[in-house]
Amino acid sequence: MEELEISDKLIIDDHISAWKACLLKIKENVSMMTYNTWFLPIKPVELNNLSLKVQIPSQFFWEWIDEHFNALINKSITEVLGNEAKLTYIIAEDKSSTEDKEGLITNNLSLSTPIEKPKPKHSFESNLNTRYTFDNFIKGEGNQLARAAAGAISDNPGGTSFNPLFLYGGVGLGKTHLIQAIGNQIVNNFPEKKVIYLSSDIFTVEFVESIQSNKVNEFSNFYRSMDVLIIDDIQFLIGKEKTQDLFFHIFNTLHQSRKQIILSSDKPPKDLKGLDERLISRFQWGLTADIQPPELETRIAILKRKAETYGMVVSNEILEYIANNITSNIRELEGCLIKLLASVSLNSKEITFELAKKTVKEIATDRKTNNINIETITKVVCEHLGVAENKIRDKTRKKEIVLARQLAMFLSKELTLSSLKTIGLHFGGRDHSTVIHACNAIDSYKTKDVSFGRIIEEIRDKIEFSS
Ligand code: ADP
Ligand code: MG
């Protein structure tokens, strides 16, 4: 025992073993796929006192890891190196060395600085993600009108005839990107303007909360006070009549006072069956623009740009192969590059044609499992634990309900791309720290109780099966 402790200490004396020890802890908490994609490519660089420095393949990688696994990484590093431990990141990125032979990812290190959000000018969160800009939005035939209208609105919000701007199109074609880019651009151009972005399901959740807490007026006034209201995926208002009714009034107030309204949807207004006719007709007052799947040239251009952003070197032949085989969804194009990035940084291999082929095939298989959403997760968790689904948003401290809620939060974090904020909102408007707390709690139950770990696996299987 004694010896083991000593050797334990010895083991974590250098960066390689320290990171190895962290990886062991991380591995217990994530799926194999997640582990391989996001953790194996991270390379330990040095251990200085209690500060472990690791190298991350790209800025994008860092942002992803930070958003999705921050709590987990912190926890494992503290467990390995103690409370004083610190993890610092280095990003391996050097766009100039495209000639580097092996260098799919090059070694010129630069210290990454945590991205600091600019101080908010207003007392509310705009919810805009600064990653979405016009700059990194590639123009193509399929998005020409939408892009042009978006630009015009950003220069003159509320002052063009494009009010509302109604964007529609299939999954992963850039609707969210474009409408958030408008928001970001307006914030830049007109810092005093109040801009808010949210999806219509979050809007609904907040509305329901406001009813429960007797704050409907406050809720409604808040949105009426905006200069720019951006609502994503408006089709989720279908079937929610009370929310539609309130939204109708907010829409009218904003439109009358020439405030900009921007909406996105998976179909054109007239096809939104089940949506109030008054809303459908208003949605057509301004400009309705569709986004079509990108043609081959645009797909190649998008891949080229993304590869560059991730600091990857990929031959044109391979980019064309990917562009020829992933045709209807830009998110999948992006996903394909990320997978390639993960496998080459893992084995420091070159991106070969075979690897690209294999990855494209995996993406097609993934397509099936990518439909997991928070609703499905909640439903399966509640069923499995025998808790009524409508209780999960309540303020109750009943043990079994708290557990179900925490588990559903934990799995939402693991299995969906939703942010902590979104997850919190889905579970009765709780804030992101509650979600982190839930994830940590589940983590620790798992470690203490093996059978609980098994239950989680069962639930996870069920979720994947029902999606
Ligand atoms: P949607 O909301 O239509 O489902 P998103 O806006 O989420 O799609 O886009 C999916 C991914 O593809 C995002 O990461 C986005 O940045 C990227 N993307 C979409 N269109 C473009 C484009 N024209 N240029 C560059 N990236 C794009
Ligand atoms: Mg979207």
Side-chain angles (χ1 to χ4, degrees), residues 131 136-138 172-177 306 330-331 334:
R131 181 168 91 78
N136 59 23
F137 186 85
I138 309 279
L173 294 183
K175 301 181 297 294
T176 298
H177 187 135
K306 305 254 168 193
I330 297 171
R331 192 173 295 137
E334 227 172 43

Side-chain angles (χ1 to χ4, degrees), residues 9-32:
K9 282 235 167 65
L10 283 178
I11 283 173
I12 54 164
D13 226 21
D14 69 287
H15 57 280
I16 297 180
S17 13
W19 180 240
K20 248 193 195 148
C22 290
L23 281 183
L24 281 176
K25 307 224 172 265
I26 290 169
K27 203 173 180 176
E28 289 168 7
N29 289 286
V30 296
S31 70
M32 214 41 213

Side-chain angles (χ1 to χ4, degrees), residues 157-159 163 193 223-228 249-261:
N163 200 16
K193 287 215 188 290
Y223 287 103
R224 284 171 208 241
S225 75
M226 291 295 139
D227 296 299
V228 181
H249 293 292
I250 294 175
F251 185 104
N252 287 343
T253 309
L254 291 176
H255 198 270
Q256 272 155 23
S257 40
R258 307 193 56 163
K259 307 293 185 179
Q260 183 69 46
I261 300 160

Side-chain angles (χ1 to χ4, degrees), residues 50 65 86 108 158 161 166 186 212 214 299 302 406 456 459:
L50 288 173
I65 289 168
K86 240 178 58 190
N108 269 7
S161 56
F166 189 100
I186 295 178
Q212 285 166 352
N214 258 325
R299 296 201 295 277
I302 291 174
Q406 288 182 330
I456 298 183
I459 296 180

Side-chain angles (χ1 to χ4, degrees), residues 38-61:
W38 300 108
F39 293 99
L40 278 184
I42 302 177
K43 301 267 180 289
V45 177
E46 65 179 37
L47 181 66
N48 210 335
N49 290 325
L50 288 173
S51 166
L52 175 64
K53 188 185 277 181
V54 295
Q55 180 189 324
I56 308 236
S58 69
Q59 180 67 27
F60 170 80
F61 225 89

